[in-house]
Amino acid sequence: MAVRKLLVVILTALLVGSLVPFALASGSENSTGTNEVPQEKVVAEKLIDNLKRLAEFTEAKVPENMTNSTYLALAEEHYNKALSEFQEGNYNASMVDALMAMHYYRLVLSEIRAPMKGAGANVEAQFRAQVERTRAYLRYAERLINVAGEKGLNVTEARELYNETLEAFKLVMEDVRSGNMTKARGDYEVALQKKAELDSALKELRLQMLHQNAEQVVERFLAKGERAIQLANRTLSENPNPELNETYTAFLELYTSVKTLADEGKWDEALNLIIEKRDVVKEFQMTLTRGRTMARGHFKWDGNFEKLKELRERIVRDGRELMKLKREGVDVSKAEVQLKSAMNEYKLGIRLLRTGQPEKAKEHFEAAVTLLKEVEAFINAHS
């Protein structure tokens, strides 16, 4: 039963995300004796395990003469903090520092790869990086297929596509090792097509698994939704917010419809409605998080959240401009690393904001702005 309950939790998270900001929910529920703390420990422990593997992988790649990397120092600092906080039982803080350490370790890897791109190893390095990312994806695919098979689902097609995708990417790496980059490019296109077919098969398996647990998933949605509605009511009474009010109204309509179907025992129909209205849930979650933070007076980054929206739009726009320059033959490798770093800083800032750490979040948003200025200066210089 414990494994089944954990599976339902994971599937629900994949479907609709966290309706109630995690830090708020855990802060309000621990006093009532629920099982939030053990769940936090499970997630934190998994993050720590992944962080250790990433740290070992990065340290093996770091050149001996790389002694002045700010990113490496920050990665090690957050790594040590994450371990200490986990051992002290402060799982929320441990998760945040583990994510920050992972972020900086990835930036270290970007620093290491950047010189390679300027030294004639561009194509091979990019293929290796892409294939490495695919390996992680395939490990996830294999686990999902195995779980689905244990649940009695037909996984024959998905397993065949998994094997074909695995072999396709192995062939690409053989081409790269032999130096036949022309063949590697062609085989890589085939491998990407196989991966797209596997994506579709995995999506179908996830839906079937959700429907196997439709009653539990819907009940969990309703429980989390009820808490989110209560939070929204309090937030709106503290700080009237037109944006939150609009998404709250849309979510309340969805919640009421889902509850009506659930009361009638129509679990599959209720689940289908949640899936169909995922965007409603996501928008409500985002505006609720922003509304809570603003109501408490925590976040003052240039006055309002419109700046975050503008920042996100700049990242997307700069990405398009770099793609144009790349197609024109301009070497954009350094700018791409800077843009990716800006996106990572932005994402980390959002995570910190959602966990009630606005001052730390502000530092990362400002770092993203600084990086974007450099990217945009490069774009202007080559346009």
Side-chain angles (χ1 to χ4, degrees):
M1 286 301 293
V3 174
R4 182 181 178 86
K5 182 177 180 182
L6 181 58
L7 178 62
V8 172
V9 171
I10 293 170
L11 290 171
T12 307
L14 285 170
L15 175 64
V16 299
S18 175
L19 284 173
V20 183
F22 190 69
L24 296 175
S26 60
S28 63
E29 290 183 6
N30 286 345
S31 61
T32 63
T34 64
N35 62 351
E36 288 294 326
V37 171
Q39 288 183 2
E40 288 178 12
K41 182 177 180 180
V42 170
V43 176
E45 190 170 19
K46 184 63 177 176
L47 278 174
I48 292 292
D49 289 343
N50 291 338
L51 172 58
K52 287 179 179 178
R53 286 195 290 270
L54 179 59
E56 291 170 2
F57 176 80
T58 305
E59 288 166 6
K61 299 286 184 182
V62 172
E64 292 182 4
N65 61 352
M66 190 177 181
T67 58
N68 61 344
S69 171
T70 302
Y71 291 143
L72 184 59
L74 287 168
E76 290 172 348
E77 177 187 343
H78 286 292
Y79 175 91
N80 292 328
K81 285 178 67 178
L83 290 181
S84 298
E85 288 159 348
F86 182 82
Q87 290 166 357
E88 293 166 2
N90 191 352
Y91 303 122
N92 252 342
S94 177
M95 284 187 275
V96 172
D97 277 304
L99 288 168
M100 292 178 71
M102 289 178 180
H103 166 65
Y104 285 117
Y105 275 126
R106 291 187 182 107
L107 292 181
V108 172
L109 292 173
S110 296
E111 285 184 323
I112 296 168
R113 289 167 183 154
M116 293 176 58
K117 292 182 178 181
N122 184 32
V123 177
E124 181 175 349
Q126 288 183 356
F127 269 124
R128 288 186 182 278
Q130 289 164 339
V131 171
E132 187 62 38
R133 287 193 293 270
T134 304
R135 283 176 182 162
Y137 165 82
L138 288 172
R139 287 194 292 270
Y140 154 75
E142 184 179 25
R143 288 196 297 270
L144 178 61
I145 291 168
N146 289 338
V147 170
E150 291 169 3
K151 294 294 177 182
L153 298 178
N154 184 348
V155 297
T156 302
E157 180 185 4
R159 200 175 294 282
E160 287 177 358
L161 288 169
Y162 165 81
N163 290 331
E164 290 172 5
T165 305
L166 179 63
E167 291 303 316
F169 277 98
K170 282 182 179 178
L171 181 58
V172 173
M173 285 311 299
E174 289 174 7
D175 295 337
V176 171
R177 292 190 192 100
S178 68
N180 191 344
M181 302 313 296
T182 301
K183 186 173 184 296
R185 290 187 186 94
D187 288 338
Y188 184 67
E189 292 300 320
V190 174
L192 287 179
Q193 179 59 40
K194 289 294 181 185
K195 180 178 177 293
E197 294 174 13
L198 177 59
D199 283 341
S200 297
L202 295 181
K203 180 179 179 181
E204 180 60 31
L205 284 181
R206 287 195 295 269
L207 285 173
Q208 290 180 35
M209 291 168 70
L210 279 169
H211 278 285
Q212 274 192 337
N213 298 277
E215 181 175 349
Q216 295 92 331
V217 172
V218 171
E219 286 179 342
R220 187 170 180 81
F221 169 85
L222 291 172
K224 292 167 74 75
E226 183 179 359
R227 295 199 299 273
I229 289 168
Q230 292 170 356
L231 278 173
N233 284 329
R234 289 202 296 272
T235 301
L236 288 168
S237 66
E238 295 167 6
N239 182 39
N241 182 325
E243 183 186 20
L244 174 57
N245 189 63
E246 181 180 347
T247 60
Y248 166 74
T249 301
F251 179 78
L252 186 59
E253 181 181 344
L254 169 63
Y255 176 89
T256 303
S257 299
V258 171
K259 191 172 188 314
T260 299
L261 291 169
D263 290 343
E264 296 172 359
K266 298 177 180 178
W267 303 110
D268 282 323
E269 292 180 35
L271 178 57
N272 285 334
L273 184 58
I274 297 170
I275 294 171
E276 180 186 343
K277 300 291 186 180
R278 291 176 69 174
D279 288 345
V280 171
V281 178
K282 183 178 179 181
E283 288 300 318
F284 175 56
Q285 176 191 351
M286 292 175 62
T287 56
L288 177 58
T289 302
R290 292 199 293 263
R292 290 288 296 175
T293 307
M294 292 178 75
R296 292 180 175 188
H298 284 163
F299 190 65
K300 304 281 185 190
W301 193 62
D302 286 353
N304 58 58
F305 279 88
E306 286 302 313
K307 293 292 182 181
L308 295 185
K309 183 179 178 181
E310 291 173 12
L311 181 56
R312 172 72 184 187
E313 290 172 352
R314 283 176 66 185
I315 291 170
V316 173
R317 183 173 62 249
D318 291 350
R320 292 196 192 103
E321 293 300 319
L322 287 182
M323 287 299 295
K324 288 180 184 177
L325 292 176
K326 192 172 186 178
R327 286 195 292 268
E328 294 170 4
V330 178
D331 181 5
V332 299
S333 55
K334 180 179 178 181
E336 282 181 326
V337 171
Q338 290 172 325
L339 182 63
K340 184 176 181 181
S341 299
M343 174 58 97
N344 287 337
E345 294 287 354
Y346 172 83
K347 289 180 178 177
L348 191 51
I350 293 295
R351 290 193 193 106
L352 289 166
L353 194 59
R354 287 176 175 168
T355 54
Q357 301 181 70
E359 292 306 316
K360 285 186 178 180
K362 180 180 177 182
E363 294 174 10
H364 291 281
F365 293 138
E366 291 175 346
V369 170
T370 301
L371 287 162
L372 285 181
K373 287 180 180 177
E374 295 183 24
V375 173
E376 287 156 3
F378 174 87
I379 292 171
N380 292 333
H382 292 83
S383 297

